[in-house]
Amino acid sequence: IDEGFSNLSFGANGTLVYASATVMAPPNQLTWIDRQGKMEALDLPPRRYRQPRLSPDGQRIAVAVTENNNTDIWIHEFNRGTFSRFTFSPTTDFGPIWSPDNQTLIYNGEEPQYTIYQRPADGSSDTKLLLNKPVDTIPTSISPDGKWLVYTEISVGKSRNIWLQPLDGTSKARTFLRTD
C-alpha cells in the first residue's frame, strides 16, 4: 500500500538513489504467537501481508495481501486450512475489521479516496458501500454490541477526527472527537 512517502536521496554527484516499494516491503510470513510466547508459522506462503486481524471467535484471520501492485483482502480459515481472496477490486483494499459476531468484514477501499465498505465474511453477497465522503475515512473498530463503527476522518487540513457511525442506518454519523 502506498503510504505517501518515498525512500530516495541525491548523492554528492547528483545521482538519484531510491528503494522501490518491493524492497521496502519484502514478503513476510504470518506467524501465530500463543500466550506463552511460542511461535508457529502459518502454513501459508511468504507474501506481502499487512494488517492481519483475527476473527473474534479465533477461527479465521483476515489480512491485506499486496501482489502485482494491487492490495486485496484474503481470509485464512484455520480449521479448513483454506486461504481465499475476499476482495477483487482493481484498486487497493485494506484494513479489515471483523464484526463482533464474526459475520461481517468492514474494510477500506481506495476509490479515489479511502472509502468504507462492508461484506458478509462468508462472501455470500456483494460488497456494500458503507461510507463515502469527499475525504479519507478509515475504519478502526466496531463496538462490542455491533451497533457502532468507529472511524477516523482525515480532512483537507489533515486533521484527524474520530466519528461514530451507527451500523443499523437509523441515524447519521456523529463526531466523537475533533482534533488537529
Side-chain angles (χ1 to χ4, degrees):
I1 296 174
D2 179 5
E3 299 290 351
F5 62 89
S6 301
N7 293 293
L8 52 95
S9 181
F10 279 102
N13 67 357
T15 302
L16 179 64
V17 179
Y18 70 93
S20 67
T22 55
V23 170
M24 298 307 296
N28 52 40
Q29 182 69 49
L30 287 178
T31 303
W32 183 265
I33 303 172
D34 68 18
R35 294 182 192 275
Q36 289 72 43
K38 180 184 170 199
M39 295 173 46
E40 180 182 344
L42 297 183
D43 190 22
L44 296 171
R47 287 181 162 165
R48 290 176 61 199
Y49 298 111
R50 295 193 45 173
Q51 304 167 318
R53 281 296 194 55
L54 186 64
S55 62
D57 65 5
Q59 300 300 308
R60 295 175 286 179
I61 189 167
V63 62
V65 177
T66 302
E67 294 178 321
N68 302 320
N69 294 321
N70 188 38
T71 302
D72 280 295
I73 296 170
W74 291 63
I75 296 177
H76 174 61
E77 294 188 40
F78 294 106
N79 293 342
R80 294 177 39 201
T82 59
F83 193 53
S84 305
R85 189 171 170 181
F86 181 74
T87 63
F88 296 86
S89 174
T91 61
T92 298
D93 292 326
F94 64 99
I97 298 174
W98 291 94
S99 62
D101 64 3
N102 305 291
Q103 300 300 307
T104 305
L105 274 177
I106 293 178
Y107 60 93
N108 262 131
E110 185 176 18
E111 309 202 16
Q113 72 280 349
Y114 294 155
T115 303
I116 301 175
Y117 296 92
Q118 71 178 16
R119 184 173 181 213
D122 65 4
S124 62
S125 66
D126 290 337
T127 298
K128 175 184 169 188
L129 176 64
L130 186 61
L131 189 63
N132 184 16
K133 292 188 170 189
V135 296
D136 288 341
T137 53
I138 301 171
T140 55
S141 186
I142 298 174
S143 63
D145 61 9
K147 293 182 179 181
W148 296 93
L149 169 68
V150 179
Y151 69 93
T152 301
E153 180 178 297
I154 304 172
S155 65
V156 177
K158 297 299 179 190
S159 66
R160 297 178 186 268
N161 300 315
I162 300 171
W163 287 74
L164 298 171
Q165 171 75 38
L167 290 172
D168 63 5
T170 59
S171 60
K172 293 183 179 182
R174 62 183 169 123
T175 305
F176 177 78
L177 178 67
R178 290 190 184 276
T179 179
D180 290 333

